[in-house]
Amino acid sequence: MLVQFYNVSKNYSSNIVALNNVSLKIDRGEFVFLMGASGAGKSTMIRMLIREVLPDEGQLFVNDRSLVRMRKRDVPALRRNIGIVFQDFKLLDNKTVYENIAFAMKVVGASSAHIRRRVPEVINLVGLQGREGALPDQLSGGEQQRVGIARALANQPLILIADEPTGNLDLDTASDIMELLYQINYLGTTVIMATHARELVRNAFRRVVMLENGMIVADLPNGESL
């Protein structure tokens, strides 16, 4: 089991309950949608997976390691195994496609030789051949998100977390990004995607975990009944 939440609760104040006794298991190689309205608990779960916040109660394991008991010095190693794709891309405006991806590898200590091998691989995977030298403002929204995905994959993470990755894209472009995420999952990476876009999820035939008021209210193996 790659991800395990056991009776996890988190309150941000006495009247804001982010998660309420959440238990969830995610296997290696799964593609899981986290769905729910704003404030349902999706972002808190994501922040817990990268150990940005800790539960008030319960236990959380990633790759058989307790994030609650994890020492601070071990957090960077955890985060190297998790790639994150953001809704607003978060690219470095003054760096090219190649440089944005290479930077994500440099900050974790990858060698220059490894960077030279790996960056072209992920650029090809996301379909940006020929755009290596472009700056973010020379790219469409869909291309910028592909750079974001390539950057998240650069260090070959066990888990790819996509936080509303299609929120700033039109439906056709969003569908293209979804196909890319499915391909990445097919190649073996576990994908956890937070979204409220039912139109993208309804026909995906992937597992859907529905959140409401900090609780899991449904866990649909193939997204049925959406």
Side-chain angles (χ1 to χ4, degrees):
M1 200 64 61
L2 186 57
V3 174
Q4 301 174 75
F5 286 80
Y6 287 113
N7 305 118
V8 169
S9 293
K10 179 67 179 179
N11 299 334
Y12 289 119
S13 68
S14 59
N15 60 345
I16 300 177
V17 179
L19 293 177
N20 183 4
N21 198 36
V22 165
S23 292
L24 178 69
K25 295 182 179 181
I26 298 173
D27 269 328
R28 291 176 184 273
E30 276 200 271
F31 192 117
V32 180
F33 289 105
L34 300 179
M35 288 198 71
S38 296
K42 306 186 301 297
S43 293
T44 296
M45 291 183 74
I46 287 173
R47 293 176 68 198
M48 283 186 179
L49 286 171
I50 60 173
R51 208 178 183 274
E52 192 174 287
V53 298
L54 289 170
D56 295 328
E57 299 177 10
Q59 280 287 341
L60 171 58
F61 294 86
V62 173
N63 200 25
D64 295 325
R65 296 203 63 186
S66 168
L67 271 58
V68 174
R69 296 192 291 267
M70 180 176 284
R71 295 169 297 188
K72 284 187 177 180
R73 69 187 187 192
D74 294 327
V75 173
L78 165 77
R79 292 176 178 168
R80 281 196 291 272
N81 280 313
I82 300 174
I84 304 180
V85 180
F86 302 95
Q87 177 176 342
D88 55 355
F89 318 136
K90 296 192 184 301
L91 302 181
L92 298 170
D93 292 337
N94 62 339
K95 292 187 181 295
T96 65
V97 168
Y98 186 102
E99 291 167 342
N100 263 279
I101 301 165
F103 183 78
M105 301 184 68
K106 288 177 183 176
V107 297
V108 300
S111 69
S112 296
H114 182 46
I115 291 171
R116 286 195 299 270
R117 288 194 303 270
R118 181 61 178 163
V119 174
E121 289 177 358
V122 290
I123 285 175
N124 290 341
L125 176 61
V126 302
L128 287 176
Q129 304 95 316
R131 304 292 277 158
E132 293 88 345
L135 293 168
D137 65 3
Q138 298 171 315
L139 302 173
S140 68
E143 287 174 326
Q144 289 186 61
Q145 192 57 287
R146 286 174 184 270
V147 179
I149 292 170
R151 181 185 55 193
L153 291 173
N155 294 310
Q156 298 173 291
L158 290 172
I159 304 168
L160 182 70
I161 295 175
D163 190 6
E164 300 281 2
T166 62
N168 289 339
L169 305 175
D170 63 71
L171 187 56
D172 286 343
T173 305
S175 296
D176 290 342
I177 293 298
M178 291 307 305
E179 288 301 320
L180 177 56
L181 292 175
Y182 297 145
Q183 179 188 358
I184 289 164
N185 176 241
Y186 177 77
L187 293 172
T189 303
T190 302
V191 178
I192 301 171
M193 175 174 162
T195 186
H196 60 265
R198 285 178 178 260
E199 65 274 13
L200 292 176
V201 175
R202 190 173 289 116
N203 297 315
F205 303 106
R206 301 301 200 280
R207 182 181 177 192
V208 179
V209 175
M210 301 286 295
L211 290 157
E212 189 174 311
N213 298 322
M215 295 183 289
I216 293 176
V217 295
D219 190 340
L220 311 173
N222 293 301
E224 68 271 19
S225 305
L226 280 176

